[in-house]
Amino acid sequence: MLVRDAMTTVVLTIGPQHTLRQAAALMAARRVGAAVVHDPDAGGIGILTERDILNSVGLGQNPDTERAHDHTTTDVVFATPAWTLEEAARAMAHGGFRHLVVLDRGEITGVVSVRDIIRCWAPARQQVHVPA
C-alpha cells in the first residue's frame, strides 16, 4: 500500500503569525494533529504539531501570545505519494515524529500520520452492537 492510499488530502495550512491557541482551535475543529505552516519569508513549508503546542504550554508559555513561527519544525521530512507505507513508517520511526507532509512535484498534496498508517494496516473494525 502507498502513501497516496493512506494520506489525508485536505491539509490544514496556517500562517506563521497564528497564535498557538488559534492553531490548536483549528486543529481541534478539523480533528488533526498537525498543521502545515506556510511561511514564504522563512523559506517555505514547516509543520506545527500538537506536541509542539503541548511543549510550549508545558513550559508555561502563553498560547495567546506565542506564534506558530516560533514553534514550527522547519527541517521537515517530506514523503511522496508513491512511497510505500513501510517507507513512511521507517522515516517516522527514524526521525521520531508522527506526521509527514506529502509533496508531489513540489506541491503539498497531503499529510500522512501514524494513525493513517495504522488504519490501513489494522483489520477493519467490527461494529459492536450494544443492547439498549
Side-chain angles (χ1 to χ4, degrees):
M1 192 166 258
L2 302 177
V3 164
R4 75 171 44 93
D5 303 317
M7 70 184 190
T8 302
T9 57
V10 178
V11 178
L12 173 59
T13 302
I14 64 172
Q17 293 304 314
H18 275 81
T19 66
L20 292 187
R21 184 173 309 280
Q22 291 169 324
L26 291 167
M27 291 163 62
R30 294 266 187 101
R31 299 178 50 102
V32 297
V36 172
V37 181
H38 181 59
D39 188 354
D41 295 333
I45 300 169
I47 191 165
L48 179 74
T49 68
E50 57 200 359
R51 184 183 305 170
D52 298 323
I53 296 169
L54 181 67
N55 287 340
S56 174
V57 171
L59 290 171
Q61 296 174 334
N62 184 342
D64 291 315
T65 58
E66 289 296 312
R67 302 291 172 184
H69 169 77
D70 296 320
H71 300 277
T72 298
T73 299
T74 55
D75 59 341
V76 178
V77 175
F78 298 101
T80 71
W83 276 20
T84 65
L85 294 185
E86 288 83 4
E87 289 172 305
R90 195 172 315 126
M92 290 177 189
H94 178 74
F97 46 80
R98 298 178 308 206
H99 299 86
L100 286 168
V101 177
V102 182
L103 291 183
D104 191 10
R105 293 171 245 211
E107 297 294 321
I108 299 170
T109 57
V111 173
V112 65
S113 69
V114 170
R115 180 180 292 167
D116 296 327
I117 293 171
I118 290 170
R119 212 176 280 136
C120 289
W121 285 349
R125 288 190 234 170
Q126 295 179 348
Q127 289 188 359
V128 177
H129 175 69
V130 179

